[in-house]
Amino acid sequence: MADETKPPAPATAAPKPPPGPPAPPPPKNPGFVTCTIDGREVVVKPGTNVVEAAKSVGVEIPYYCYHKRLSIAANCRMCLVEMSNAPGGKLMPGCQMPVAEGITVKTETARVKDQQRATLEFLLLNHPVDCAICDQAGECKLQDYYMKYDQKPSRLDMPKVEKGKRVPLGPMVVLDQERCILCTRCVRFMREVAKKPQLGVDERGNESFITTFDGQPLDSKYSGNVVDICPVGALTSTDLRFRGRVWFMSSARSVCTGCSRGCNTFLDYLKETTFRYRPRENEAVNQEWMCDDGRLSYKYLNSERVLTAFQGRGAAARDLPLPAAAEAAAGALRKAAAGGALAALFSPVASLEDLLVAALVAKEGLGLSEVYVGGRPDGWQDDFLKRADENPNRRGLELVAQAFGLALKPFAELGPAIEAGRVKAVWAVGTEVPDPAAAAAFARLETLVCQAYNHGPLAREATVLLPAAPHSEADGTYVNFEGRPQRFELAYWPRGGARPHWALAAELGRALGLAWRFQSARGVWDELGARVAGSLPGFEWDSLPSTQKRRGLVPLAAGTVDGRLPGYRERVPTDAVGDTRMDLLKVTR
Ligand code: SF4
Ligand code: SF4
Ligand code: FES
């Protein structure tokens, strides 16, 4: 029988919880986190990662997979650093670790350097080391980091794993799977920014590769951005591939003219040819992305350009010097204006400076009180960047018209006015029109003075054709759909006899007897900017950031083994812009 009187066993004391981590020290700078990186005190906002914190004091931590606008994958291991709060003293990925109050970070120790070398050796294990023929040479972080952090020969004594070469992913992008380091930036971009998750990683280990989802092409309207963010030569642009070496190209700070968003761009050029647009960072406009249509919209800068002035139509057209063409145009326009049969057609592709001078000439030289609005027809629109209005400066045109008291009339009313004989002469500043088929009506005009970048339906009907320089060959300003003025800068000298619209309009004004003289786009703004400045508060004409402009190397004449003259390699002169402005003076003297 059980002993029911047995006293209960004494309760054992509850085990003491292990001591937690020490309480963080009070913030040295309240509201911020203060730490030490390579001996330098760093004060940053809470949540800032080690890579960005290091950047803020000029310390470079190399990285591949990290991108400040994408989620953190921390898979490349290039950014490993020593941190005083790391468990077990492990090296930690700087891209993933937020700085904590009072910690110490070291990026230059022997352990970190060894790890960087090891990471590069691993990434280059199966990578073809043929930088000389890689299309990304000059913009490849593998190349840059190998020279900076590795410089060790390969120890691989067996064949490299081979993967797909020149795999077309979509209309804009080609993939070389062997060059890919599987950082997954492209995968994350498609999922998180383009919101079209069309890319993924297939297979495992060293057999892994990037691919599109089964049977689907990479056809997002933003696919070109993956080429920009691929840190190595795995993703290349079908448009640019092998057309030019990037170190020969110079970059001008420009604005995309593909729609009224006005994404900030770098316009990369070689001599007088634009090769590509790349997005330029502007948090308020396009962050650092652009759409594919905008990316390819540079083509009109290179093709079918009007390079000399012409008088006469069709077979009767003959080229003549610009002042003589302007005299002829001014005479015909003056006559039509006196008879009340003149209309002006202004394109919202022209810059603010172009339109300021054009409006001045329309008002004071020709006595007009209204202008018709030309411009490209509407295109597609989405809720990210692209706007349906494919004209970069419609708001600018509206501001200028308002400033000069010019009424804006829709293009659709111009054709019927020509048909009815009310309009017998047209002065077109820019030849982009919403309905190219409607240009047929312009053949009936007695006088059609066109300032045109390209030959096209309207320019073909011109009785006087003046060669206009687009934004790659001029300085100026566009006002985007939000009313934000954005400056673009001249990349290279105007081709042939082309001149910016403002210079052509000034030449017409001179022939019409106007006393105004303009020597540069800057001069136009100085003279006329006050008329619209009230609508552009805070805008300063010289507001382009002075950094990030790149001057390429001059490609050298053939003649030596590698096409270079012995010992000769020179940068593009940086004072070319000043010379160009002097050149433009010629038309207004
Ligand atoms: S293709 Fe480029 S961006 Fe995409 S995972 Fe490979 S290396 Fe990264
Ligand atoms: S969204 Fe508009 S401005 Fe931006 S890249 Fe596309 S076309 Fe150009
Ligand atoms: S950049 Fe940090 S792990 Fe890739």
Side-chain angles (χ1 to χ4, degrees), residues 128 161-168 174-180 207-210 234:
V161 175
E162 291 180 5
K163 296 182 192 168
K165 305 290 286 183
R166 296 175 291 281
V167 183
V174 175
L175 168 65
D176 185 330
Q177 288 171 343
E178 289 182 346
R179 297 185 200 279
C180 171
E207 299 289 334
S208 310
F209 58 89
I210 294 290

PDB file of all heavy atoms in Angstrom, residues 128 161-168 174-180 207-210 234:
ATOM      1  N   PRO A 128      34.896  32.686 -67.992  1.00  0.00           N
ATOM      2  CA  PRO A 128      35.913  32.811 -69.041  1.00  0.00           C
ATOM      3  C   PRO A 128      36.721  34.089 -68.822  1.00  0.00           C
ATOM      4  O   PRO A 128      36.136  35.149 -68.641  1.00  0.00           O
ATOM      5  CB  PRO A 128      35.091  32.907 -70.336  1.00  0.00           C
ATOM      6  CG  PRO A 128      33.712  33.240 -69.924  1.00  0.00           C
ATOM      7  CD  PRO A 128      33.528  32.850 -68.493  1.00  0.00           C
ATOM      8  N   VAL A 161      33.531  24.822 -66.143  1.00  0.00           N
ATOM      9  CA  VAL A 161      32.152  24.426 -66.457  1.00  0.00           C
ATOM     10  C   VAL A 161      31.635  25.356 -67.552  1.00  0.00           C
ATOM     11  O   VAL A 161      31.726  26.573 -67.423  1.00  0.00           O
ATOM     12  CB  VAL A 161      31.253  24.556 -65.203  1.00  0.00           C
ATOM     13  CG1 VAL A 161      29.796  24.263 -65.556  1.00  0.00           C
ATOM     14  CG2 VAL A 161      31.746  23.647 -64.099  1.00  0.00           C
ATOM     15  N   GLU A 162      31.150  24.765 -68.613  1.00  0.00           N
ATOM     16  CA  GLU A 162      30.667  25.592 -69.724  1.00  0.00           C
ATOM     17  C   GLU A 162      29.158  25.736 -69.649  1.00  0.00           C
ATOM     18  O   GLU A 162      28.452  24.795 -69.313  1.00  0.00           O
ATOM     19  CB  GLU A 162      31.071  24.969 -71.061  1.00  0.00           C
ATOM     20  CG  GLU A 162      32.573  25.031 -71.288  1.00  0.00           C
ATOM     21  CD  GLU A 162      32.987  24.413 -72.601  1.00  0.00           C
ATOM     22  OE1 GLU A 162      32.090  24.027 -73.383  1.00  0.00           O
ATOM     23  OE2 GLU A 162      34.198  24.298 -72.836  1.00  0.00           O
ATOM     24  N   LYS A 163      28.695  26.957 -69.976  1.00  0.00           N
ATOM     25  CA  LYS A 163      27.245  27.207 -69.976  1.00  0.00           C
ATOM     26  C   LYS A 163      26.869  27.914 -71.270  1.00  0.00           C
ATOM     27  O   LYS A 163      27.701  28.089 -72.154  1.00  0.00           O
ATOM     28  CB  LYS A 163      26.861  28.047 -68.764  1.00  0.00           C
ATOM     29  CG  LYS A 163      27.111  27.368 -67.435  1.00  0.00           C
ATOM     30  CD  LYS A 163      26.655  28.239 -66.282  1.00  0.00           C
ATOM     31  CE  LYS A 163      27.178  27.697 -64.972  1.00  0.00           C
ATOM     32  NZ  LYS A 163      26.995  28.646 -63.880  1.00  0.00           N
ATOM     33  N   GLY A 164      25.600  28.370 -71.343  1.00  0.00           N
ATOM     34  CA  GLY A 164      25.092  28.954 -72.583  1.00  0.00           C
ATOM     35  C   GLY A 164      25.788  30.246 -72.980  1.00  0.00           C
ATOM     36  O   GLY A 164      26.091  31.084 -72.138  1.00  0.00           O
ATOM     37  N   LYS A 165      26.055  30.364 -74.265  1.00  0.00           N
ATOM     38  CA  LYS A 165      26.656  31.587 -74.795  1.00  0.00           C
ATOM     39  C   LYS A 165      25.624  32.311 -75.650  1.00  0.00           C
ATOM     40  O   LYS A 165      24.847  31.698 -76.369  1.00  0.00           O
ATOM     41  CB  LYS A 165      27.858  31.267 -75.693  1.00  0.00           C
ATOM     42  CG  LYS A 165      28.932  30.419 -75.067  1.00  0.00           C
ATOM     43  CD  LYS A 165      29.702  31.132 -74.005  1.00  0.00           C
ATOM     44  CE  LYS A 165      30.664  32.164 -74.539  1.00  0.00           C
ATOM     45  NZ  LYS A 165      31.445  32.775 -73.414  1.00  0.00           N
ATOM     46  N   ARG A 166      25.663  33.656 -75.593  1.00  0.00           N
ATOM     47  CA  ARG A 166      24.806  34.492 -76.450  1.00  0.00           C
ATOM     48  C   ARG A 166      23.349  34.017 -76.441  1.00  0.00           C
ATOM     49  O   ARG A 166      22.765  33.780 -77.478  1.00  0.00           O
ATOM     50  CB  ARG A 166      25.335  34.506 -77.891  1.00  0.00           C
ATOM     51  CG  ARG A 166      26.692  35.144 -78.032  1.00  0.00           C
ATOM     52  CD  ARG A 166      27.225  35.022 -79.423  1.00  0.00           C
ATOM     53  NE  ARG A 166      27.559  33.655 -79.779  1.00  0.00           N
ATOM     54  CZ  ARG A 166      28.662  33.027 -79.414  1.00  0.00           C
ATOM     55  NH1 ARG A 166      29.561  33.660 -78.684  1.00  0.00           N
ATOM     56  NH2 ARG A 166      28.883  31.780 -79.770  1.00  0.00           N
ATOM     57  N   VAL A 167      22.795  33.867 -75.250  1.00  0.00           N
ATOM     58  CA  VAL A 167      21.403  33.416 -75.142  1.00  0.00           C
ATOM     59  C   VAL A 167      20.494  34.643 -75.225  1.00  0.00           C
ATOM     60  O   VAL A 167      20.531  35.494 -74.328  1.00  0.00           O
ATOM     61  CB  VAL A 167      21.152  32.709 -73.795  1.00  0.00           C
ATOM     62  CG1 VAL A 167      19.725  32.180 -73.723  1.00  0.00           C
ATOM     63  CG2 VAL A 167      22.167  31.600 -73.582  1.00  0.00           C
ATOM     64  N   PRO A 168      19.685  34.787 -76.297  1.00  0.00           N
ATOM     65  CA  PRO A 168      18.799  35.953 -76.343  1.00  0.00           C
ATOM     66  C   PRO A 168      17.675  35.782 -75.326  1.00  0.00           C
ATOM     67  O   PRO A 168      16.931  34.805 -75.379  1.00  0.00           O
ATOM     68  CB  PRO A 168      18.264  35.957 -77.783  1.00  0.00           C
ATOM     69  CG  PRO A 168      18.651  34.663 -78.390  1.00  0.00           C
ATOM     70  CD  PRO A 168      19.545  33.903 -77.457  1.00  0.00           C
ATOM     71  N   VAL A 174      20.797  40.203 -74.152  1.00  0.00           N
ATOM     72  CA  VAL A 174      21.451  38.931 -74.462  1.00  0.00           C
ATOM     73  C   VAL A 174      22.207  38.473 -73.211  1.00  0.00           C
ATOM     74  O   VAL A 174      22.821  39.286 -72.524  1.00  0.00           O
ATOM     75  CB  VAL A 174      22.440  39.104 -75.636  1.00  0.00           C
ATOM     76  CG1 VAL A 174      23.212  37.824 -75.896  1.00  0.00           C
ATOM     77  CG2 VAL A 174      21.698  39.530 -76.898  1.00  0.00           C
ATOM     78  N   LEU A 175      22.154  37.179 -72.931  1.00  0.00           N
ATOM     79  CA  LEU A 175      22.812  36.637 -71.731  1.00  0.00           C
ATOM     80  C   LEU A 175      23.967  35.728 -72.123  1.00  0.00           C
ATOM     81  O   LEU A 175      23.837  34.876 -72.995  1.00  0.00           O
ATOM     82  CB  LEU A 175      21.798  35.839 -70.901  1.00  0.00           C
ATOM     83  CG  LEU A 175      22.356  34.967 -69.773  1.00  0.00           C
ATOM     84  CD1 LEU A 175      23.013  35.816 -68.690  1.00  0.00           C
ATOM     85  CD2 LEU A 175      21.252  34.110 -69.152  1.00  0.00           C
ATOM     86  N   ASP A 176      25.098  35.945 -71.450  1.00  0.00           N
ATOM     87  CA  ASP A 176      26.209  34.998 -71.533  1.00  0.00           C
ATOM     88  C   ASP A 176      26.267  34.313 -70.170  1.00  0.00           C
ATOM     89  O   ASP A 176      26.759  34.885 -69.195  1.00  0.00           O
ATOM     90  CB  ASP A 176      27.509  35.747 -71.835  1.00  0.00           C
ATOM     91  CG  ASP A 176      28.661  34.788 -72.056  1.00  0.00           C
ATOM     92  OD1 ASP A 176      28.638  33.689 -71.466  1.00  0.00           O
ATOM     93  OD2 ASP A 176      29.580  35.132 -72.804  1.00  0.00           O
ATOM     94  N   GLN A 177      25.731  33.097 -70.102  1.00  0.00           N
ATOM     95  CA  GLN A 177      25.577  32.440 -68.794  1.00  0.00           C
ATOM     96  C   GLN A 177      26.915  32.176 -68.122  1.00  0.00           C
ATOM     97  O   GLN A 177      27.010  32.132 -66.905  1.00  0.00           O
ATOM     98  CB  GLN A 177      24.787  31.146 -68.968  1.00  0.00           C
ATOM     99  CG  GLN A 177      23.314  31.401 -69.263  1.00  0.00           C
ATOM    100  CD  GLN A 177      22.552  30.163 -69.660  1.00  0.00           C
ATOM    101  OE1 GLN A 177      23.144  29.148 -70.036  1.00  0.00           O
ATOM    102  NE2 GLN A 177      21.234  30.243 -69.620  1.00  0.00           N
ATOM    103  N   GLU A 178      27.969  31.999 -68.909  1.00  0.00           N
ATOM    104  CA  GLU A 178      29.269  31.708 -68.310  1.00  0.00           C
ATOM    105  C   GLU A 178      29.830  32.880 -67.518  1.00  0.00           C
ATOM    106  O   GLU A 178      30.619  32.697 -66.606  1.00  0.00           O
ATOM    107  CB  GLU A 178      30.267  31.329 -69.407  1.00  0.00           C
ATOM    108  CG  GLU A 178      29.982  29.978 -70.005  1.00  0.00           C
ATOM    109  CD  GLU A 178      30.995  29.593 -71.049  1.00  0.00           C
ATOM    110  OE1 GLU A 178      31.766  30.445 -71.504  1.00  0.00           O
ATOM    111  OE2 GLU A 178      31.016  28.407 -71.411  1.00  0.00           O
ATOM    112  N   ARG A 179      29.454  34.074 -67.929  1.00  0.00           N
ATOM    113  CA  ARG A 179      30.013  35.252 -67.254  1.00  0.00           C
ATOM    114  C   ARG A 179      29.233  35.614 -65.999  1.00  0.00           C
ATOM    115  O   ARG A 179      29.668  36.446 -65.211  1.00  0.00           O
ATOM    116  CB  ARG A 179      30.010  36.445 -68.201  1.00  0.00           C
ATOM    117  CG  ARG A 179      30.879  36.268 -69.414  1.00  0.00           C
ATOM    118  CD  ARG A 179      30.936  37.528 -70.247  1.00  0.00           C
ATOM    119  NE  ARG A 179      31.352  37.240 -71.603  1.00  0.00           N
ATOM    120  CZ  ARG A 179      32.604  37.060 -71.985  1.00  0.00           C
ATOM    121  NH1 ARG A 179      33.579  37.140 -71.100  1.00  0.00           N
ATOM    122  NH2 ARG A 179      32.899  36.782 -73.233  1.00  0.00           N
ATOM    123  N   CYS A 180      28.052  35.044 -65.832  1.00  0.00           N
ATOM    124  CA  CYS A 180      27.163  35.417 -64.723  1.00  0.00           C
ATOM    125  C   CYS A 180      27.739  34.946 -63.387  1.00  0.00           C
ATOM    126  O   CYS A 180      28.225  33.824 -63.268  1.00  0.00           O
ATOM    127  CB  CYS A 180      25.797  34.780 -64.971  1.00  0.00           C
ATOM    128  SG  CYS A 180      24.675  34.935 -63.588  1.00  0.00           S
ATOM    129  N   GLU A 207      26.238  24.455 -61.522  1.00  0.00           N
ATOM    130  CA  GLU A 207      25.438  24.276 -62.738  1.00  0.00           C
ATOM    131  C   GLU A 207      24.356  25.361 -62.834  1.00  0.00           C
ATOM    132  O   GLU A 207      23.596  25.411 -63.809  1.00  0.00           O
ATOM    133  CB  GLU A 207      24.748  22.905 -62.739  1.00  0.00           C
ATOM    134  CG  GLU A 207      25.705  21.707 -62.702  1.00  0.00           C
ATOM    135  CD  GLU A 207      26.450  21.555 -64.016  1.00  0.00           C
ATOM    136  OE1 GLU A 207      25.923  21.990 -65.052  1.00  0.00           O
ATOM    137  OE2 GLU A 207      27.581  21.027 -63.974  1.00  0.00           O
ATOM    138  N   SER A 208      24.239  26.213 -61.805  1.00  0.00           N
ATOM    139  CA  SER A 208      23.159  27.217 -61.792  1.00  0.00           C
ATOM    140  C   SER A 208      23.326  28.208 -62.926  1.00  0.00           C
ATOM    141  O   SER A 208      24.437  28.569 -63.299  1.00  0.00           O
ATOM    142  CB  SER A 208      23.174  28.022 -60.493  1.00  0.00           C
ATOM    143  OG  SER A 208      23.219  27.176 -59.393  1.00  0.00           O
ATOM    144  N   PHE A 209      22.211  28.664 -63.441  1.00  0.00           N
ATOM    145  CA  PHE A 209      22.256  29.731 -64.450  1.00  0.00           C
ATOM    146  C   PHE A 209      20.976  30.548 -64.394  1.00  0.00           C
ATOM    147  O   PHE A 209      19.941  30.082 -63.922  1.00  0.00           O
ATOM    148  CB  PHE A 209      22.479  29.160 -65.862  1.00  0.00           C
ATOM    149  CG  PHE A 209      21.427  28.173 -66.301  1.00  0.00           C
ATOM    150  CD1 PHE A 209      20.273  28.612 -66.951  1.00  0.00           C
ATOM    151  CD2 PHE A 209      21.589  26.807 -66.065  1.00  0.00           C
ATOM    152  CE1 PHE A 209      19.302  27.707 -67.347  1.00  0.00           C
ATOM    153  CE2 PHE A 209      20.625  25.901 -66.467  1.00  0.00           C
ATOM    154  CZ  PHE A 209      19.472  26.339 -67.107  1.00  0.00           C
ATOM    155  N   ILE A 210      21.087  31.780 -64.883  1.00  0.00           N
ATOM    156  CA  ILE A 210      19.933  32.675 -64.974  1.00  0.00           C
ATOM    157  C   ILE A 210      19.179  32.347 -66.255  1.00  0.00           C
ATOM    158  O   ILE A 210      19.787  32.089 -67.296  1.00  0.00           O
ATOM    159  CB  ILE A 210      20.410  34.138 -65.017  1.00  0.00           C
ATOM    160  CG1 ILE A 210      21.070  34.534 -63.712  1.00  0.00           C
ATOM    161  CG2 ILE A 210      19.262  35.096 -65.380  1.00  0.00           C
ATOM    162  CD1 ILE A 210      20.144  34.660 -62.536  1.00  0.00           C
ATOM    163  N   ALA A 234      27.593  39.640 -68.095  1.00  0.00           N
ATOM    164  CA  ALA A 234      26.668  38.556 -68.417  1.00  0.00           C
ATOM    165  C   ALA A 234      25.481  39.044 -69.233  1.00  0.00           C
ATOM    166  O   ALA A 234      25.039  38.376 -70.163  1.00  0.00           O
ATOM    167  CB  ALA A 234      26.184  37.886 -67.139  1.00  0.00           C
TER     168      ALA A 234
END
